[in-house]
Amino acid sequence: MRRAWNALFGKRARLRWVHLILGGAMLMPYWLLCSVVLSLFTGLNGGMFGGSPPLQFGAYALALPLAAVSALFPLARPMSVGVARPLCGVAADRFAEGPAQSCAARARTAGWVTLHVGLGGLVSGASLALPPFALTVMALPFSADLRRSALSGRYGLDAPWWVMLGVPAGLLMLVALAAASAGAGALLARQAPVLLGPTPADRLAAAERRAAELAVRNRLARELHDSVGHALSAVTLQAGAARRVLDAPEPDVGFVREALTAIEGTARRTVGELDSVLGLLRQGEDDGELPGPGLEALDVLLAHSGVKVTCEQAGDPAAAVPQPVSREVYRIVQEGLSNALRHGGAAPVSLRLRATDDELEVTMENPLPEEGRAPVVRPGGGRGLRGVAERAALLGGRSAAGPVADGTAWRLSVRLPLRDAGVRR
């Protein structure tokens, strides 16, 4: 019994009734327009409540196509979703987001609006007319004047037995109205995900948006990894060297000063790069061109890398390389230096940049650890060389990393095309 009561008069049923009443209100302008037009061309008596049934139902039939046509506009779907989401009792993730762009989405929205205003018009009309009539029927056994008025004066105090059925008959009418409203609301709730849910085109667009967001997040993650990771490796090495020098019997104050200066410069530069990347995160968007230094800042990077670097350049890479490639090459060199610091300590690094009309080649070498084995990836890390490979692939190039043939050094080699260069999405 309680379950039946909640189904007819519970909170969800009441919200769905409100949704249907809103549908009736949306239908009203179309119905009034059609009733005026029909009364002009057919000669039927007009009026909101006093019109003839043929006029009222004819206007109703003509109003539904007009409502469907108006629902073909793209903004009709988010408006319908905004109303249906809190009132239909359907999970929010089953509705589509944004305006309807495809023809299929617009047709579904038109179908939903037609169903909503069609059922809403019927339920609204019944909600206006049936309760007063039901209350009148329920009052017939208790009022002789009402019986004379309602039954054309044929009955007064001596009413027939069936007049006493007015109370249960009126209650049955109200229950029937509640049941009809609950049924119409349940029908709308079942059809809402079908007609207002995402179409295949919407799902494809959502998947593309998620892929673009993941690509941006991966790019930002690479920027943070390369910038902050290199800075921490360099600062750790410089600080460790300064500590060892201070612990020596005769500390070299000049070396310690240089190490602290390098630490300060590296930290200051990294804070600026970190602010730039975090600024993009705060904005929640990516304009396709991540900020950051390029090959023009390579000398500063090498001077404060924490390791001795021999740089050999063929051609003029800074002038010949487009800015997207220049920025990515800077990060590739930065990650190569981080790997050299992490696995080779203070061993010197050789860097060669060779630029031609078609290609830029970047080669970095550093001695392997004394054990003669390849570098070991640090716990929790291991994304450095993968990030280098991703950067090269985004530019249409390729990378390779591993020990040289004689096993004495570790080599990182990257080849990037320069014709039609640009970061791929």
Side-chain angles (χ1 to χ4, degrees):
M1 189 67 181
R2 183 176 182 181
R3 184 175 181 180
W5 175 267
N6 288 333
L8 295 180
F9 304 103
K11 180 179 179 181
R12 176 172 294 181
R14 295 196 301 270
L15 289 175
R16 289 175 177 176
W17 178 79
V18 172
H19 189 222
L20 289 165
I21 296 299
L22 290 176
M26 292 169 57
L27 182 67
M28 186 59 65
Y30 304 101
W31 184 85
L32 289 175
L33 175 64
C34 292
S35 63
V36 171
V37 172
L38 281 179
S39 63
L40 291 176
F41 285 95
T42 62
L44 295 174
N45 184 26
M48 182 178 299
F49 300 106
S52 63
L55 175 65
Q56 293 184 359
F57 285 100
Y60 172 83
L62 291 179
L64 294 181
L66 290 181
V69 170
S70 65
L72 294 175
F73 291 96
L75 291 178
R77 185 171 73 174
M79 295 174 62
S80 298
V81 170
V83 175
R85 181 183 286 125
L87 297 179
C88 275
V90 179
D93 58 357
R94 302 185 66 185
F95 290 101
E97 297 291 342
Q101 301 297 339
S102 64
C103 293
R106 296 181 184 183
R108 289 186 182 187
T109 306
W112 165 261
V113 170
T114 304
L115 182 64
H116 181 204
V117 301
L119 293 176
L122 295 176
V123 172
S124 298
S127 298
L128 287 173
L130 192 56
F133 179 74
L135 292 176
T136 301
V137 171
M138 293 171 64
L140 285 177
F142 309 104
S143 173
D145 293 336
L146 188 59
R147 287 195 297 271
R148 282 192 294 267
S149 174
L151 302 177
S152 302
R154 288 183 296 171
Y155 301 104
L157 296 176
D158 298 327
W161 64 269
W162 52 263
V163 173
M164 302 305 297
L165 298 177
V167 173
L171 290 175
L172 186 60
M173 293 178 190
L174 295 178
V175 172
L177 175 60
S181 176
L187 176 61
L188 286 179
R190 284 195 300 269
Q191 295 302 316
V194 178
L195 299 177
L196 294 180
T199 63
D202 293 326
R203 293 189 179 93
L204 179 60
E208 291 176 347
R209 286 194 301 270
R210 287 194 295 270
E213 292 171 358
L214 288 175
V216 171
R217 290 176 58 184
N218 287 336
R219 293 178 65 190
L220 294 176
R222 283 196 303 270
E223 294 294 316
L224 288 174
H225 175 274
D226 293 349
S227 176
V228 178
H230 168 76
L232 291 177
S233 298
V235 166
T236 301
L237 182 66
Q238 294 282 3
R243 178 182 56 79
R244 288 192 297 270
V245 170
L246 285 176
D247 291 340
E250 296 181 2
D252 186 349
V253 179
F255 178 84
V256 175
R257 183 179 294 108
E258 292 178 1
L260 293 176
T261 301
I263 291 173
E264 179 184 7
T266 301
R268 194 185 305 277
R269 184 178 67 255
T270 305
V271 168
E273 297 176 5
L274 185 61
D275 285 342
S276 299
V277 176
L278 292 181
L280 291 179
L281 289 175
R282 285 191 294 269
Q283 295 170 8
E285 58 186 13
D286 177 37
D287 60 2
E289 191 73 18
L290 285 175
L295 287 176
E296 71 281 353
L298 188 60
D299 292 339
V300 177
L301 174 65
L302 300 180
H304 298 87
S305 63
V307 66
K308 183 179 180 180
V309 182
T310 303
C311 182
E312 177 185 343
Q313 300 188 25
D316 188 2
V321 175
Q323 183 57 33
V325 181
S326 176
R327 189 186 64 248
E328 298 298 324
V329 170
Y330 179 93
R331 294 302 188 195
I332 289 172
V333 172
Q334 189 178 55
E335 180 56 34
L337 291 174
S338 297
N339 284 335
L341 284 168
R342 189 178 302 123
H343 305 304
V349 178
S350 64
L351 169 64
R352 292 192 299 274
L353 299 175
R354 187 175 65 87
T356 64
D357 293 338
D358 300 324
E359 187 180 62
L360 173 66
E361 181 180 359
V362 181
T363 305
M364 300 183 69
E365 289 187 8
N366 62 278
L368 285 172
E370 295 180 359
E371 293 79 4
R373 55 184 174 85
V376 178
V377 178
R378 59 188 172 92
R383 293 193 55 87
L385 294 178
R386 187 188 306 175
V388 169
E390 290 175 354
R391 290 181 184 274
L394 286 172
L395 294 170
R398 60 189 185 278
S399 67
V404 298
D406 58 6
T408 60
W410 179 272
R411 176 182 296 166
L412 171 64
S413 178
V414 180
R415 292 177 178 268
L416 304 174
L418 296 183
R419 290 189 181 273
D420 301 326
V423 178
R424 297 180 179 178
R425 290 287 184 183

